[in-house]
Amino acid sequence: MTAEELAKEIAKGLIETGIEGAYDSVSCSTAGDYPSVGCSQWEGARGNHLLSLIPGGDYFAERTYTSIVGTGELQELKNLLDSDAGQAAQISLLTEDCKTYVNTLQEVQTLDDSRCMIYAGMWCPTSHYVVRRFLQNREHRVNLRSLLALRNVFRDEYAKAADVPFNCYAGYENRAERTYQYVTGLDLTTKYGVLWYGQYEYGR
């Protein structure tokens, strides 16, 4: 698969699984009093950029989460994000983000299996730099061409490596399994000619 095809499938996976959020998701960032918005939880400058792409979105840019809630406009923001224009803007921005994810992950030498690239790419909204470093540090002992092995290492080690709070560990374990189930069910044969899941020489 080409980098563009991989990026498209990663974006599709993030949207269909909702592992980062739905189109109308709005929450307070854990890093400060500003909103995390949309299906990839954009925030800060990236969140403001997304809002600038949606007619009427500039009204919510640069505002704190508390101010939006305090004025009773949270549902209005959710509706804006979930509108046709809001969804289209999110798909466009997410696809561009996913191209960056693929370019970054291609620096991992043994991550050359299409399904494994999609799996790893679906973790990149947490930080594509952290995901790349995480995989590079484990190349010598983990078969990154095995989707099952990839699932296991993300499930068992990623939360600690990413330095997230302990109470988030279970959520990361669930994400590892949900992403695995999604990617194993992908039909990459009809569209891209990739062999069916389980037909490669590497263990799955």
Side-chain angles (χ1 to χ4, degrees):
M1 293 173 64
T2 66
E4 186 172 337
E5 290 168 344
L6 289 165
K8 179 181 178 181
E9 289 298 328
I10 292 167
K12 178 183 173 184
L14 289 167
I15 291 169
E16 290 197 10
T17 60
I19 54 178
E20 282 292 307
Y23 287 120
D24 64 348
S25 292
V26 183
S27 62
C28 185
S29 171
T30 58
D33 186 16
Y34 45 86
S36 292
V37 298
C39 63
S40 194
Q41 291 296 287
W42 290 282
E43 57 186 39
R46 297 288 287 163
N48 292 330
H49 175 59
L50 170 65
L51 291 170
S52 74
L53 301 175
I54 308 171
D58 284 331
Y59 177 73
F60 293 99
E62 306 291 346
R63 291 179 58 183
T64 65
Y65 180 80
T66 299
S67 75
I68 295 171
V69 172
T71 56
E73 295 174 307
L74 184 61
Q75 188 59 51
E76 184 180 342
L77 174 56
K78 286 175 172 285
N79 292 342
L80 182 74
L81 292 165
D82 201 31
S83 66
D84 290 344
Q87 292 188 21
Q90 290 183 61
I91 292 170
S92 176
L93 185 57
L94 183 58
T95 301
E96 289 303 310
D97 287 349
C98 289
K99 291 178 182 177
T100 300
Y101 301 160
V102 172
N103 289 337
T104 302
L105 291 176
Q106 285 178 333
E107 298 177 28
V108 184
Q109 292 185 353
T110 59
L111 190 67
D112 52 13
D113 176 273
S114 294
R115 286 185 176 84
C116 291
M117 176 67 80
I118 293 168
Y119 183 94
M122 289 176 65
W123 283 85
C124 281
T126 63
S127 171
H128 54 291
Y129 295 116
V130 172
V131 172
R132 179 190 62 188
R133 185 169 64 250
F134 175 79
L135 295 174
Q136 287 175 329
N137 289 342
R138 288 157 179 79
E139 277 188 283
H140 65 286
R141 64 176 176 84
V142 177
N143 178 10
L144 300 184
R145 297 182 175 107
S146 165
L147 191 56
L148 182 60
L150 204 60
R151 189 275 314 263
N152 290 345
V153 74
F154 271 96
R155 180 195 62 197
D156 299 338
E157 301 179 29
Y158 187 74
K160 183 176 181 180
D163 197 28
V164 301
F166 182 75
N167 62 357
C168 296
Y169 279 30
Y172 275 63
E173 292 171 3
N174 290 337
R175 181 181 182 132
E177 181 61 30
R178 176 71 184 92
T179 306
Y180 175 76
Q181 294 298 331
Y182 173 79
V183 177
T184 57
L186 281 177
D187 176 10
L188 302 181
T189 304
T190 303
K191 290 185 286 186
Y192 308 113
V194 177
L195 291 178
W196 286 103
Y197 178 71
Q199 291 185 334
Y200 288 88
E201 60 182 296
Y202 301 104
R204 290 295 190 265

